[in-house]
Amino acid sequence: MLPTEKMPTAGRLVAAVGLSALSYYASGIVIALWPYDYNFGSFRLVCAGLAFIIGWRVIGVRLGRGIPQGAGAGLTGMAALLFWLFLLLSFNEMIGRSLDLRYQGPFEAFQGMFEIAYEYLLNVLHVRLGILLAGGAMLVGLVSELVAKWLP
């Protein structure tokens, strides 16, 4: 990696802010879709903060390669965001459950983390949300690519 690839650019900033705004909006929809009462706390801010980092580090690195690759970079960033969000949120829930002594040992707790992530995935598996996330991520990638091309 060249030292100049680590420098801040307008394209990286647009990717980070765009993915963060999309994540903040989508997390509000997830809260509305959740099937049972749950204390979400600072869920929206965690989603937006992680999306900012992912947008900067995943989408921002892949800019400057062309319009189709910009849309692909947006989808890659969304996939990375969903992976890390599910991992982080299920880890948080697993820690809470393990403090309540629901697991016999660390391996069972680790296994429980993936069961929680699967349960969360089933709770948010809606076509409209998927279209919003995929379309929004592609739009963020395209706009970031155009900004990176116009403002080098």
Side-chain angles (χ1 to χ4, degrees), residues 2-3 23 30 39 60 65 74 80 84 93 109:
L2 297 173
S23 175
V30 167
N39 183 11
R65 299 178 186 169
W84 286 109
E93 181 68 23

Side-chain angles (χ1 to χ4, degrees), residues 2-3 29-30 36 51 65 70 79 85-86 113 118-119 122 132 135 139 152:
L2 297 173
I29 294 174
V30 167
Y36 49 87
R65 299 178 186 169
L85 271 176
F86 278 116
M113 187 174 80
Y118 181 70
E119 177 186 331
L122 292 179
L132 171 74
L139 182 65

Side-chain angles (χ1 to χ4, degrees), residues 3-143:
T4 56
E5 291 179 0
K6 294 182 180 180
M7 294 184 66
T9 62
R12 280 185 166 199
L13 182 63
V14 168
V17 170
L19 193 63
S20 181
L22 176 64
S23 175
Y24 188 83
Y25 179 74
S27 62
I29 294 174
V30 167
I31 291 171
L33 289 174
W34 208 254
Y36 49 87
D37 284 341
Y38 187 78
N39 183 11
F40 282 95
S42 58
F43 172 71
R44 293 180 92 169
L45 295 176
V46 169
C47 291
L50 186 61
F52 189 88
I53 294 168
I54 297 287
W56 185 273
R57 297 192 53 110
V58 174
I59 298 175
V61 171
R62 290 168 172 78
L63 296 177
R65 299 178 186 169
I67 299 296
Q69 288 79 10
L75 288 175
T76 302
M78 182 54 69
L81 175 64
L82 291 175
F83 171 77
W84 286 109
L85 271 176
F86 278 116
L87 189 69
L88 179 69
L89 295 172
S90 63
F91 178 76
N92 183 40
E93 181 68 23
M94 182 267 300
I95 293 295
R97 289 182 185 182
S98 63
L99 290 175
D100 291 338
L101 301 175
R102 292 189 189 176
Y103 301 118
Q104 297 296 322
F107 183 73
E108 187 178 337
F110 186 71
Q111 181 182 359
M113 187 174 80
F114 291 101
E115 292 169 359
I116 294 166
Y118 181 70
E119 177 186 331
Y120 284 178
L121 176 67
L122 292 179
N123 286 341
V124 298
L125 200 60
H126 291 277
V127 175
R128 290 182 183 157
L129 183 62
I131 290 171
L132 171 74
L133 293 177
M138 288 175 40
L139 182 65
V140 167
L142 289 173
V143 170

